[in-house]
Amino acid sequence: MQGNPEMGSVWSGIGLRLAATGLFAVMSLFVRLASFEAPVGQIMFWRSSVALIPIVLYLIWRRQFPRGLRTARPFGHLKRSTFGLVSMFFSFLSLAYLPLALATALGFLAPLLVLPVAMILLREKPGMAVFTATFAGFGGVFLMLWPTFSTPGIDTGVLIGIGAGLAMAVTTAFAKVQIKALTSTESSGTIAFYFAVICSLGGLLTLPFGWADPSPEILMWLIGAGLTGGLAHIFMTEALARAPASTLAAFEYTAMIWALLLDVTVFGLLPEPVSLFGAFLIVLAAAIVMFGDKLGVPVPKPDITAAQAQGKPGE
């Protein structure tokens, strides 16, 4: 008795999505390790320019290079990538000052912030349950931050990291809305290519402000961030080719598991119970926003497929 080929495709898509989430988590680890010596702009350059290698090889494998790079919407790519560039800057700044778990949890605010952005730009009207979930998500952020704010003498760097994480979530929300317009005519590979190019140029512009002379170890982290980030985008794209985005989206939340494990194993950081509960609230609220329609909750959908195809712009 042969298995169902369609189910086999779905399972392979889930496996690729899990692999992509793991790669993005490892990329975040490399960014944090590199930030001990290198400034954010330098990390952005290496992350984006090195990522072009696997992305171009993937486009060649799909027989979309250079044909797939033709676009009639250069300003659309510029607009989307500008939001993504700012989001990446804040994401990496957050990773430079915060534990991986906290920085990752703040990133999950983006789906919640997509709602007010969609209400303003797309004139969508979410229901009361979605508003409740949104407030619960922000409550989760408060609980995650409580151990930090309740400790006398808060470190300035931690405050910078928290502010950067919140700014990253806001700019990611705007970027995801911009992705919706692009995906009507552009492939995810094309969007990823121009995003990497523009972020590379943006990072290069910070060179006059001073880059570090990286040690061999830091150079390894910089290259690793680019390769894992580029491969993660490819794995995510291939996952979407095999399984519905609605099926794959739930597995994005395994990022919290990766972040917690890496914090414990690499840095020896074990979060407080109240922080863990706050992280749970954030993930639960984001899940309700993304999957509430399956539970009978009216939820506006500013193109989950596109958002999932690209991941967080900071990634």
Side-chain angles (χ1 to χ4, degrees):
M1 180 177 176
Q2 295 182 343
N4 187 334
E6 185 174 342
M7 281 303 299
S9 177
V10 170
W11 281 112
S12 66
I14 290 173
L16 287 166
R17 185 63 180 91
L18 288 171
T21 303
L23 284 167
F24 275 132
V26 175
M27 182 209 74
S28 296
L29 171 64
F30 288 157
V31 168
R32 178 155 175 75
L33 291 171
S35 69
F36 295 155
E37 286 187 20
V40 172
Q42 185 176 4
I43 299 173
M44 289 174 60
F45 170 78
W46 280 91
R47 154 64 181 92
S48 302
S49 58
V50 175
L52 283 169
I53 298 172
I55 290 174
V56 169
L57 290 175
Y58 172 71
L59 290 172
I60 292 173
W61 177 66
R62 292 294 300 267
R63 298 181 180 178
Q64 295 177 346
F65 187 87
R67 174 180 49 84
L69 302 184
R70 297 171 186 165
T71 177
R73 306 175 64 184
F75 290 107
H77 284 284
L78 180 61
K79 189 175 181 181
R80 172 265 183 272
S81 296
T82 299
F83 278 116
L85 172 68
V86 176
S87 177
M88 179 181 287
F89 172 81
F90 284 126
S91 175
F92 289 2
L93 186 62
S94 177
L95 286 167
Y97 288 103
L98 298 178
L100 295 174
L102 180 52
T104 300
L106 291 174
F108 279 120
L109 285 175
L112 307 180
L113 293 171
V114 166
L115 293 175
V117 174
M119 290 174 63
I120 295 171
L121 300 182
L122 306 179
R123 301 185 182 278
E124 294 176 342
K125 298 179 180 179
M128 183 58 65
V130 174
F131 275 114
T132 303
T134 301
F135 280 114
F138 286 112
V141 173
F142 175 79
L143 291 177
M144 284 205 73
L145 300 180
W146 175 250
T148 300
F149 288 134
S150 62
T151 303
I154 301 176
D155 184 76
T156 304
V158 173
L159 293 177
I160 293 174
I162 292 170
L166 294 173
M168 179 266 291
V170 173
T171 51
T172 296
F174 278 95
K176 286 190 173 184
V177 173
Q178 292 299 322
I179 290 171
K180 176 179 180 178
L182 275 180
T183 50
S184 61
T185 60
E186 310 292 295
S187 70
S188 58
T190 304
I191 296 173
F193 176 85
Y194 286 114
F195 173 55
V197 168
I198 292 174
C199 286
S200 296
L201 294 175
L204 188 61
L205 290 175
T206 66
L207 179 59
F209 297 98
W211 280 11
D213 184 12
S215 63
E217 184 180 19
I218 296 298
L219 185 61
M220 182 173 63
W221 303 142
L222 291 169
I223 295 173
L227 291 177
T228 50
L231 288 172
H233 276 293
I234 293 169
F235 278 36
M236 191 178 298
T237 299
E238 283 298 304
L240 286 161
R242 290 165 168 77
S246 58
T247 300
L248 299 175
F251 296 96
E252 179 180 351
Y253 301 106
T254 58
M256 277 304 304
I257 299 174
W258 280 103
L260 289 168
L261 288 175
L262 291 172
D263 268 342
V264 172
T265 57
V266 179
F267 302 105
L269 297 175
L270 187 64
E272 298 285 341
V274 66
S275 295
L276 286 174
F277 182 68
F280 170 77
L281 275 182
I282 295 171
V283 172
L284 178 63
I288 290 175
V289 168
M290 295 186 70
F291 307 111
D293 56 337
K294 296 184 179 180
L295 303 174
V297 178
V299 179
K301 296 285 186 182
D303 200 346
I304 285 181
T305 300
Q308 292 300 324
Q310 295 301 311
K312 300 181 185 69
E315 298 175 333

